[in-house]
Structure formats: structure tokens, C-alpha cells
Amino acid sequence: MHDKKIITAGKPLGEARKALIMIHGRGASADSILSLAAHLQVSDFALLAPQAANHTWYPYSFLAPPAQNEPWLSSALSVLKEVTDDIQKAGIPAEHIYFLGFSQGACLMLEFIARNAAQYGGAAAFTGGLVGDKIYPENYKGDFNGTPIFIGTSDPDMHVPVERVYATTNILKNMGASVTEKVYPNMGHTINQDEIDLANKLVFRP
């Protein structure tokens, strides 16, 4: 199972007015996703990046039946819940909590916020979609109340089919999120400058 191992950067949690939870992809690290903050408008944020055990949040594809990725998936979601609770206990309300993830981290992040919808500060998902062999709408509850969410992806992508991105966008919109989705032809499994620019404009705007 995952331990709550959090790497921090930016402003100390007790001094910041906003917080960003950054979730790394499979095979990557908390430190690597934190390095992305240098390109984002988050200089006044507390930055928190949980580290997955063995550098992976769950063992199989996010498109596998959820039971196949248990108990790792539930453990990973619990870590995000604990981090979010810790931020709120430090005095930062949900509407000033932001989320970012890449690849497996983006899938985990989207799954977490859809299961725990609220008016957050915003979310940026770089190549990800909701988890499961199909969409399980009964797992998702709450109201985003206009939370800005950016989802960028490549078509094709070796891990994330664009159809799942479209389905994810529809679910989040139906839950009250203000979703901007952008599909880049043949971008590859990466993050491009346009995605960074859009995340700054739509999600991390001052």
C-alpha cells in the first residue's frame, strides 16, 4: 500500500493562501512532477506532491476493471483524500485547492475529484481520463460549481484513448465543472507548451 509520503515546495502550507496537489505518472516521482511548477503561475502556492510506492499508483492500465487495480487504487485515492484534508485543516478552503496530474497521475487525480466533487480552485489533467474498463457514474458525486478544469491529450495516445477523454469531459461537465478539453494530433505522450499556457490561463490565473 501507499504511505503518505509528501514532497513539498513553494510557500509553507501555513503561510500560503492557495495549495496545489501535483500527482506524478507511472515510473516517475514527486520531485519530477514538482519541477513542472517552474512553468506555472503558482509562485504563491504551497505545492504538495505525494510519492507513489514503487513509483506507480496502481499496477495495471487505468482501463482495466477497477477490481484488478485494487487495493492499490483505493490506497492511492485515500492518500489524496488525506492530503486534501490536511490542506483544509491548515486553513486553506476547497475553493483554493488545485490539482494537477500527468498520465497515470492525471487519471488518478480525475478519479479523485470526480468522486469528491466540490468547488475547487481548479484542475489540470495532462493526458488522463476516469478510471475503469468503462465509466462507472455511480462512483461520482458532488457538484463542481463551476470549477475550471483543463484536459489536454494526444490523438492517438499509447495509453489514453481519446474516447475516454471525451467521456470524462462529459461526466465532469454534467457535475458542474467548467471543462476545457484540447486534443493535439500526434503530440505523443508528453506535455507541450500550449497545454502549459492554457493551464496557466484557465486554471492558475492570478
Side-chain angles (χ1 to χ4, degrees):
M1 286 324 96
H2 301 288
D3 295 320
K4 192 174 76 171
K5 181 182 177 184
I6 311 298
I7 309 299
T8 60
K11 282 200 165 187
L13 194 56
E15 299 175 16
R17 290 184 58 251
K18 298 178 179 180
L20 170 60
I21 302 171
M22 306 181 74
I23 307 159
H24 69 77
R26 188 190 299 270
S29 68
D31 286 317
S32 67
I33 196 75
L34 277 172
S35 68
L36 193 60
H39 305 280
L40 302 171
Q41 294 174 163
V42 294
S43 59
D44 59 339
F45 285 55
L47 307 175
L48 301 94
Q51 175 63 55
N54 302 316
H55 302 276
T56 186
W57 292 109
Y58 41 83
Y60 300 107
S61 164
F62 85 110
L63 296 171
Q68 289 187 10
N69 276 315
E70 293 295 358
W72 294 99
L73 176 60
S74 290
S75 177
L77 292 167
S78 293
V79 168
L80 295 191
K81 183 69 167 65
E82 287 184 44
V83 175
T84 305
D85 288 348
D86 288 347
I87 292 169
Q88 292 178 293
K89 287 173 187 173
I92 298 176
E95 57 264 30
H96 287 163
I97 299 176
Y98 295 74
F99 299 86
L100 177 151
F102 171 64
S103 190
Q104 191 187 56
C107 297
L108 179 65
M109 181 271 285
L110 290 166
E111 186 71 13
F112 174 77
I113 63 172
R115 291 187 184 208
N116 300 274
Q119 185 178 347
Y120 297 115
F126 300 117
T127 311
L130 292 170
V131 173
D133 52 321
K134 61 179 182 178
I135 296 287
Y136 290 89
E138 65 272 17
N139 289 339
Y140 309 130
K141 60 184 184 295
D143 186 344
F144 284 110
N145 198 24
T147 298
I149 299 176
F150 171 72
I151 306 177
T153 195
S154 175
D155 183 22
D157 179 86
M158 67 181 81
H159 300 294
V160 180
V162 73
E163 291 79 13
R164 178 55 60 91
V165 176
Y166 296 149
T168 298
T169 294
N170 288 337
I171 290 279
L172 299 175
K173 283 183 174 178
N174 288 340
M175 297 176 72
S178 177
V179 185
T180 301
E181 166 197 282
K182 188 156 184 187
V183 178
Y184 300 86
N186 301 304
M187 176 177 69
H189 198 68
T190 187
I191 302 171
N192 70 20
Q193 186 60 49
D194 189 64
E195 289 181 290
I196 296 291
D197 293 343
L198 283 169
N200 279 326
K201 176 184 176 183
L202 299 167
V203 178
F204 304 115
R205 55 187 188 270

